Amino acid sequence: MPSSVLSFAELLGQCERSAVHLELRDSYAPTDRFEAWKRGERIDWEDRASWWHPYDQLITDTVARGVAIRRARVVSEPVSDYIRWEHYVTHANVVAGEEVRWLPRRQATSIALPGNDFWLFDDTLLRVHHFSGDGVVVEDEITSASEAVKLCSAAFEAVWERAVPHHLYEI
């Protein structure tokens, strides 16, 4: 079922307890913000209006409703420039209310990981991201298939248990 059935905001809006996001890639399609960072441009974190996006507000509003939002990233070390940038901009995720952790890929060898990044809502509904080789989203798949939900939930929790909290992870 394509993700056009429900948007991310709608999925998060229906969420009652938890939303977890597992990221497994070392790079994604470059964005203007990433390219600006590579040129040396930095965010003025004191000027919240300059960097606060609708996504950040959505996360803040969802957390305020009592939904726990956690994000875990499995990364190769030394990290790619893209991951270095993601680490930098994760400040916005944390301010918005996400808990974020990082797991060096070498510590994930004994974890059964799914082949794709995903969001899992209330331990029942998955939004699976399918990417091209260069990191462009090709399609998002929505599923509640029990085997997929079980694998993704177990993988996320295993990564989360081993991962380093954002404020302690140094790149």
Side-chain angles (χ1 to χ4, degrees):
M1 194 177 349
S3 64
S4 60
V5 174
L6 288 176
S7 70
F8 176 74
E10 291 168 324
L11 290 167
L12 208 51
Q14 294 177 359
C15 200
E16 297 177 356
R17 296 176 313 282
S18 67
V20 300
H21 186 38
L22 184 61
E23 297 179 18
L24 302 167
R25 296 178 58 92
D26 287 321
S27 66
Y28 296 85
T31 64
D32 291 341
R33 291 174 51 205
F34 173 58
E35 295 301 329
W37 177 84
K38 284 187 358 184
R39 290 190 304 270
E41 295 177 27
R42 295 300 180 258
I43 296 169
D44 178 0
W45 294 115
E46 298 298 316
D47 180 13
R48 183 172 164 159
S50 71
W51 56 267
W52 192 257
H53 294 140
Y55 173 85
D56 302 313
Q57 191 60 53
L58 175 63
I59 297 302
T60 296
D61 294 345
T62 303
V63 170
R65 289 192 294 107
V67 176
I69 301 179
R70 298 181 294 158
R71 177 187 304 257
R73 294 182 172 128
V74 178
V75 296
S76 300
E77 292 180 322
V79 299
S80 67
D81 282 346
Y82 194 95
I83 294 300
R84 196 175 307 285
W85 171 74
E86 269 196 336
H87 188 270
Y88 172 72
V89 297
T90 294
H91 176 78
N93 299 79
V94 172
V95 169
E98 285 187 32
E99 292 180 67
V100 180
R101 293 187 182 179
W102 303 80
L103 181 66
R105 193 170 309 280
R106 65 180 32 236
Q107 295 176 22
T109 302
S110 63
I111 299 173
L113 295 171
N116 301 293
D117 291 11
F118 65 84
W119 277 93
L120 176 59
F121 303 96
D122 289 333
D123 295 313
T124 59
L125 186 66
L126 279 170
R127 182 179 188 186
V128 180
H129 302 300
H130 298 284
F131 293 94
S132 65
D134 58 358
V136 174
V137 174
V138 174
E139 179 184 24
D140 282 339
E141 172 189 2
I142 306 296
T143 184
S144 57
S146 61
E147 286 185 19
V149 167
K150 184 179 175 181
L151 171 68
C152 290
S153 178
F156 181 87
E157 294 305 330
V159 167
W160 189 259
E161 183 178 303
R162 295 180 191 185
V164 178
H166 175 70
H167 71 280
L168 297 175
Y169 184 68
E170 296 181 18
I171 56 171

